[in-house]
Amino acid sequence: MKKVNNFIAGEIKCFSQNYLPIFDPSKGEKIGEVVNSNEKDFAEILKSAKKGFNEWSEFTPLKRSRVLSNFKSIIEKNISTLAPIVSEEHGKTIEDAKGSIIRGLEVVEFACGIPHLLKGEFSQNVGTNIDSWSIRQPLGICAGITPFNFPAMVPMWMFPISIACGNSFILKPSEKNPSCSIKLAEMFLDAGLPAGVFNILNGDKSSVDRLIENSEISSISFVGSTPVAKYIYEKSASTGKRVQALGGAKNHLIVMPDANLQQAVDGIIGAAYGSAGERCMAVSVAVAVGSIADKLVDKISNQIQSLKVAPWFDNNSEMGPLISKDHKTKVEQYITDGVEEGAKLVVDGRNYQIQGYENGYFVGPTLFDNVKEEMKIYKEEIFGPVLSVVRAETYEKALELVNNHKFGNGTSIYTSDGEISRHFTTNAKIGMVGVNVPIPVPMAFHSFGGWKDSLFGSNAMHGVEGVNFYTKLKTVTSRWPKSINDGPEFIIPVN
Ligand code: NAD
């Protein structure tokens, strides 16, 4: 049985003897253990990250970029090694795991441009013979805390950019699937990254609390559920840290009567049931506007009956299990609650059995119609393969639903009307908006982040927002007077 330890100063080691179980969600079996770090692990990691920062921040941006470029090549060669590690501990299909690694790799690719990204601004003669310029300098030791649903991609939203900016980094991966992070750390070391620049601290809430309470850590990047995001934002800010904390979601996809129906149905099914709905950009609410509702529900319900639910190692699998037994129970309870609240259960995914994998944490694709705003299944994030269809009479009512919801991660509209689409992209109170695109996840050179209860803090992840988050701005004003001596000035200088 595998044991996952920490990555400290370029070595796999740990001091704690306390371990947490790791499960294979497809089989419902324990397959390994991950260390639950103690105070000594944390102290050693901090020492390592301090040393790493001192050495790494002296590297020129171009030298750092070359190490990142090597790292990119190593990941590219190893996608087929990393993907099964992700799938085994998460349950997602192998192609989906590969896709998620590639989306993370694109952030590394973006970070290779760091010499260009760190170029500051320069103004000559802001006053007579006075020049002014700005530079961006690293923060020091940065930390990232990541969720279970993207064990490769979400950490890669953070550490490549932070490290490219000259910081050292401590990653606290999800304890449910920690193995991929260790592999990434080994690959980065092989790429030429000095030991101590990238460290992995494994464990549960106790490790998170050590990170957010420590005053030597300059920033916290968090991705996970909203209650934890809020806790981390408040606690980290109280110790003077810079913090970005991304939370949960309830993404609405609006289908207008003039939409291409088949395109909308395919978009919704992929986005609602892909990765068993365990994506923060999953579509969990389809808002059917006007006359399209009956046709939409019929088509989705027909198509999902033949969706292939299977373990990741079945090449035909389109959707795998949920992450844990507890989560399966929670999702099934939501379905029961939906029925009790009066929503119409069109397809029921409860008690889903796959021959040979009866202990796996599978829930079948589930579809509700006639879901109402006041219902729990509408208000809360379910994070499973459960799609709610809400019927709205008009576009205005549909937009109101999107804007009144407490979450603001992603949304999308399917329509053939340019005016409606422009109105929607302008007026939706949501961080990431799609038009005829079901999952509008921004590429690495844009930035990822929601609004409202989906993001606490002012910076989104990666792209230029990431560079700004992981650097401090300094503005220099400079004059070289040869022989002028004006004496002291008691009024603020003006031009
Ligand atoms: P989670 O909040 O339970 O855990 C995330 C991380 O926080 C883990 O590393 C975990 O160890 C730690 N943690 C858990 N409870 C904690 C506590 N009480 N105090 C301190 N730390 C704690 O989230 P999860 O279940 O791993 O991931 C699913 C959630 O993440 C969903 O809500 C999903 O929407 C969200 N998510 C959001 C985004 C986004 O970009 N907004 C992306 C991916 C996932």
Side-chain angles (χ1 to χ4, degrees):
M1 201 168 280
K2 67 180 163 189
K3 271 201 190 291
V4 183
N5 294 319
N6 291 326
F7 196 78
I8 310 177
E11 285 175 38
I12 292 179
K13 60 178 174 189
C14 65
F15 298 90
S16 165
Q17 293 302 311
N18 185 1
Y19 282 82
L20 304 163
I22 306 172
F23 292 92
D24 173 343
S26 302
K27 298 179 181 159
E29 286 170 4
K30 182 177 166 186
I31 51 167
E33 291 185 329
V34 58
V35 66
N36 196 10
S37 297
N38 63 17
E39 200 54 58
K40 170 89 173 143
D41 287 289
F42 180 69
E44 288 296 314
I45 286 240
L46 201 60
K47 206 161 83 187
S48 158
K50 258 190 243 174
K51 194 166 166 290
F53 174 68
N54 290 340
E55 189 180 347
W56 183 240
S57 53
E58 294 294 317
F59 275 52
T60 62
L62 189 59
K63 278 192 182 156
R64 287 187 228 139
S65 157
R66 288 183 183 138
V67 174
L68 279 148
S69 178
N70 294 340
F71 181 44
K72 174 181 163 287
S73 307
I74 296 174
I75 300 175
E76 275 165 346
K77 285 190 201 113
N78 285 284
I79 289 177
S80 300
T81 315
L82 291 171
I85 297 173
V86 169
S87 291
E88 187 186 33
E89 292 180 2
H90 177 281
K92 63 177 78 184
T93 67
I94 199 83
E95 289 308 316
D96 197 28
K98 282 185 188 165
S100 73
I101 295 162
I102 291 168
R103 293 308 293 261
L105 181 68
E106 286 162 2
V107 180
V108 180
E109 212 162 16
F110 171 77
C112 289
I114 201 68
H116 180 74
L117 292 162
L118 288 180
K119 274 193 317 196
E121 293 173 325
F122 184 89
S123 300
Q124 194 169 37
N125 282 334
V126 289
T128 308
N129 292 329
I130 299 177
D131 302 330
S132 192
W133 67 91
S134 60
I135 49 178
R136 301 207 73 100
Q137 295 186 314
L139 304 178
I141 305 171
C142 301
I145 300 150
T146 53
F148 78 82
N149 68 325
F150 283 107
M153 183 182 82
V154 170
M156 283 200 274
W157 283 355
M158 305 171 180
F159 72 81
I161 297 191
S162 172
I163 288 174
C165 290
N167 301 292
S168 62
F169 201 88
I170 303 173
L171 173 68
K172 206 304 279 173
S174 169
E175 59 275 39
K176 298 191 174 97
N177 39 28
S179 297
C180 182
S181 299
I182 297 281
K183 284 275 171 249
L184 289 170
E186 287 176 325
M187 288 176 190
F188 218 165
L189 199 70
D190 290 346
L193 190 73
V197 181
F198 185 37
N199 307 276
I200 312 273
L201 176 73
N202 277 308
D204 60 12
K205 176 176 166 29
S206 57
S207 291
V208 172
D209 286 341
R210 287 186 187 106
L211 288 169
I212 61 180
E213 283 164 11
N214 188 280
S215 59
E216 292 182 87
I217 292 170
S218 305
S219 75
I220 297 285
S221 301
F222 172 84
V223 176
S225 59
T226 289
V228 182
K230 202 155 181 275
Y231 165 75
I232 283 180
Y233 179 68
E234 289 168 358
K235 197 95 191 254
S236 306
S238 75
T239 56
K241 289 181 184 41
R242 193 173 275 213
V243 45
Q244 49 180 184
L246 277 61
K250 194 83 180 175
N251 306 310
H252 294 50
L253 187 149
I254 299 179
V255 186
M256 295 297 294
D258 62 5
N260 178 321
L261 183 62
Q262 192 55 51
Q263 265 181 21
V265 168
D266 290 340
I268 290 170
I269 291 177
Y273 303 111
S275 200
E278 288 176 328
R279 290 182 183 141
C280 65
M281 288 293 275
V283 167
S284 46
V285 179
V287 186
V289 177
S291 56
I292 206 156
D294 288 342
K295 285 175 277 182
L296 185 77
V297 172
D298 281 355
K299 269 189 173 286
I300 295 174
S301 127
N302 286 337
Q303 273 185 235
I304 62 175
Q305 315 275 353
S306 55
L307 204 154
K308 173 81 174 166
V309 184
W312 62 273
F313 39 84
D314 178 333
N315 286 337
N316 296 320
S317 174
E318 291 173 303
M319 184 182 119
L322 293 172
I323 187 67
S324 65
K325 196 172 181 187
D326 283 355
H327 193 49
K328 174 179 153 80
T329 308
K330 187 174 159 195
V331 170
E332 291 188 330
Q333 184 58 49
Y334 270 114
I335 302 173
T336 305
D337 292 345
V339 174
E340 282 168 9
E341 284 178 307
K344 181 178 171 196
L345 184 58
V346 183
V347 181
D348 185 357
R350 287 173 295 181
N351 307 314
Y352 202 90
Q353 290 283 308
I354 298 181
Q355 210 183 357
Y357 301 97
E358 287 79 5
N359 293 329
Y361 312 136
F362 295 94
V363 172
T366 299
L367 178 64
F368 276 112
D369 190 9
N370 283 320
V371 174
K372 305 281 183 234
E373 270 175 273
E374 59 280 5
M375 293 178 182
K376 193 174 159 200
I377 55 164
Y378 177 76
K379 289 196 283 199
E380 296 181 12
E381 180 182 46
I382 299 175
F383 220 54
V386 181
L387 176 68
S388 294
V389 174
V390 180
R391 293 172 178 239
E393 277 176 21
T394 59
Y395 161 72
E396 287 72 22
K397 178 64 199 159
L399 178 64
E400 215 175 284
L401 285 167
V402 169
N403 286 346
N404 286 347
H405 208 284
K406 67 178 177 179
F407 291 114
N409 217 37
T411 189
S412 186
I413 190 164
Y414 273 67
T415 179
S416 53
D417 185 327
E419 198 178 347
I420 287 276
S421 128
R422 189 165 189 281
H423 186 273
F424 185 66
T425 53
T426 309
N427 293 291
K429 292 180 184 151
I430 302 284
M432 294 169 282
V433 182
V435 175
N436 297 321
V437 168
I439 310 185
V441 173
M443 295 293 287
F445 36 90
H446 286 271
S447 299
F448 185 108
W451 289 10
K452 300 187 270 185
D453 275 8
S454 298
L455 192 154
F456 302 91
S458 52
N459 284 103
M461 299 249 164
H462 61 71
V464 173
E465 290 268 300
V467 175
N468 290 346
F469 181 77
Y470 290 120
T471 53
K472 284 180 286 203
L473 177 71
K474 182 180 281 178
T475 307
V476 180
T477 304
S478 162
R479 166 170 87 150
W480 291 92
K482 274 237 163 102
S483 56
I484 317 159
N485 190 349
D486 298 334
E489 281 182 20
F490 297 101
I491 55 164
I492 191 160
V494 288
N495 269 312

